[in-house]
Amino acid sequence: MKIRAAVLEEFGQPLVVQDVDLNEPKAGEALVRLAACGVCHTDLYTASGADPTGYAPCVLGHEGAGVVEKVGEGGPGIVAPGDHVVTLFAPECGECVHCLSPRTNRCVAIRDQQGLGFLPDGTARLERNGEPLRHFMGTSTFAEYAVIPEIALATVDPEAPLAGCAPFACGLSTGIGAALYMAGVEPGSTCVVFGCGLVGLGCVIGCRLAGAERIVAIDLSEDRLAEARHHGATDTRAAADDTVDWIRGETGGFGADYTFEATGNVAVMRQAVEAAREAWGLATMCGVAGKGETLDVVPRLLITGRRVAGTSFGGVKGRSQVPQLVDLWLAGDIDVDRLVTAKVSLDGVNDAFHAMERQEGIRTVIEFA
Ligand SMILES: NC(=O)c1ccc[n+]([C@@H]2O[C@H](COP(=O)([O-])OP(=O)(O)OC[C@H]3O[C@@H](n4cnc5c(N)ncnc54)[C@H](O)[C@@H]3O)[C@@H](O)[C@H]2O)c1
Ligand SMILES: [Zn+2]
Ligand SMILES: [Zn+2]
């Protein structure tokens, strides 16, 4: 079939929206009609050429939500036509060594081919002028339709509006999961969140859902600090050179039980480690640092009991836990509407990138007609 898709033709250049071909799903794959797709930093990072693992041309997009139209014959039947689904760049096969462990979401089932831009059988369903066109993060959801492995689709409550489901496919689940599943924030804790974009706001929400007593949000932008208060921060402070000293002062000299970094800046990551409590503080990194950058930590901080962790997709096991997070939204515990600050058509994808560069709004969601 012919579909409209936003193609990364060349690094550093605007995406080009055009007609491409999409072939039928094979066994273990499903054809999804996208209703919405969030525009995430990782798309921009790859489009810019900064990502060392990036490749072009390909169809970008990985924060998708839509409806299953067709399932390839002979597959596991995890999804069925009509299912409302959230796309998963981090799949959950349920059977590999990592899926069987409650400690991680790092499913290994299809990662090699996904990283190369292909579906699990090593071929692409996307095509242009008879030539294969590579997929991105196993999803390629800047498109009207996508063929996606069944293990990379989370079936969610059809009552949930799909534009609001899209942020659960990446940024929002990453932040919430970092607090709930990776760090395992305990009720009554003191938490500090560095960075209040979608990921950091997700951390704030996760800390609140976990019953944290004190949630301190730090950002450069007053607007974003106000957003953090709306979603559950009890204290906010403008980022400054003395942030770590201030946090220690607020916590009897010890530091916070849990800190979260959601900026991608390695100097802030270091602050998150230094602001974690002596004896048991856990610092969780969510941000993606630039190529070649390293995190500088004085080992004495670790000897005296601080721990450093990190997570991809917040440690969320996609097929089992994304539907639970969507249910929390439907129950009124997460204000998703407030996080989706702009809606555009597929042709507006480059404008969404520019808005992100200017830090306008929290999340732009592409809606498909
Ligand atoms: N681990 C994952 O699976 C995963 C998933 C999605 C995104 N990410 C990464 O998470 C990070 C955050 O993503 P986002 O979409 O929320 O980004 P964003 O740019 O919307 O938010 C970052 C926030 O950090 C703030 N900030 C910048 N410098 C700061 C400082 N010195 N102190 C405190 N705050 C500061 C900015 O003002 C901004 O509000 C990015 O690095 C992104 O690539 C990781
Ligand atoms: Zn697995
Ligand atoms: Zn993302």
Side-chain angles (χ1 to χ4, degrees):
M1 66 195 290
K2 284 264 182 237
I3 61 164
R4 299 269 295 160
V7 180
L8 169 64
E9 298 281 5
E10 235 181 288
F11 295 128
Q13 296 298 315
L15 304 189
V16 183
V17 178
Q18 57 192 269
D19 285 347
V20 302
D21 297 300
L22 184 65
N23 290 301
E24 293 281 306
K26 295 190 183 176
E29 303 166 2
L31 173 69
V32 176
R33 178 174 57 77
L34 274 310
C37 182
V39 180
C40 172
H41 275 92
T42 307
D43 299 304
L44 181 61
Y45 181 60
T46 298
S48 72
D51 177 2
T53 65
Y55 45 81
C58 68
V59 174
L60 290 182
H62 64 284
E63 218 179 67
V67 180
V68 174
E69 290 252 314
K70 194 173 191 181
V71 180
E73 264 176 56
I78 292 168
V79 293
D83 282 358
H84 285 211
V85 290
V86 165
T87 66
L88 302 170
F89 69 86
E92 182 183 355
C93 76
E95 290 167 2
C96 74
V97 60
H98 288 170
C99 281
L100 290 173
S101 166
R103 291 182 291 190
T104 180
N105 65 345
R106 303 278 304 154
C107 178
V108 298
I110 59 173
R111 77 159 55 143
D112 294 344
Q113 289 302 331
Q114 177 171 325
L116 297 171
F118 299 112
L119 288 171
D121 75 346
T123 62
R125 293 306 150 266
L126 288 161
E127 203 179 287
R128 187 170 57 170
N129 307 325
E131 294 285 319
L133 177 62
R134 283 198 271 178
H135 299 242
F136 174 65
M137 292 177 81
T139 48
S140 287
T141 46
F142 286 169
E144 293 171 321
Y145 289 84
V147 171
I148 296 177
E150 288 189 64
I151 60 169
L153 294 170
T155 303
V156 298
D157 189 332
E159 292 295 311
L162 288 162
C165 288
F168 286 98
C170 182
L172 182 55
S173 294
T174 295
I176 298 176
L180 290 184
Y181 308 128
M182 177 61 227
V185 168
E186 291 180 358
S189 317
T190 293
C191 303
V192 178
V193 178
F194 292 84
C196 301
L198 183 61
V199 175
L201 292 173
C203 294
V204 168
I205 292 166
C207 291
R208 170 173 54 78
L209 293 171
E213 185 177 313
R214 214 171 156 196
I215 305 166
V216 182
I218 314 273
D219 202 289
L220 297 166
S221 147
E222 284 299 333
D223 289 348
R224 292 207 163 185
L225 292 176
E227 286 306 302
R229 280 192 290 278
H230 173 81
H231 292 284
T234 57
D235 303 63
T236 54
R237 192 169 194 264
D241 291 342
D242 69 346
T243 301
V244 172
D245 287 340
W246 180 81
I247 291 165
R248 288 196 183 141
E250 291 286 306
T251 52
F254 287 118
D257 299 315
Y258 300 93
T259 64
F260 297 90
E261 180 283 331
T263 69
N265 177 331
V266 291
V268 178
M269 294 184 188
R270 180 176 176 160
Q271 291 183 325
V273 178
E274 293 176 349
R277 195 189 193 284
E278 177 195 338
W280 62 66
L282 176 61
T284 302
M285 309 300 137
C286 301
V288 177
K291 186 182 176 184
E293 290 184 322
T294 57
L295 167 57
D296 216 1
V297 177
V298 178
R300 184 181 47 77
L301 294 172
L302 307 180
I303 288 170
T304 47
R306 291 165 195 83
R307 293 169 299 146
V308 182
T311 122
S312 166
F313 196 44
V316 175
K317 286 184 182 279
R319 288 197 292 117
S320 12
Q321 292 172 324
V322 164
Q324 297 170 9
L325 296 179
V326 169
D327 287 346
L328 287 172
W329 165 34
L330 294 179
D333 292 331
I334 304 171
D335 187 355
V336 175
D337 290 348
R338 180 101 175 198
L339 298 166
V340 177
T341 43
K343 291 178 178 171
V344 298
S345 68
L346 183 59
D347 291 301
V349 63
N350 293 303
D351 298 333
F353 278 163
H354 295 138
M356 187 179 275
E357 283 167 333
R358 292 193 299 265
Q359 277 199 12
E360 250 171 52
I362 302 296
R363 191 52 117 224
T364 300
V365 169
I366 296 168
E367 284 190 304
F368 299 92

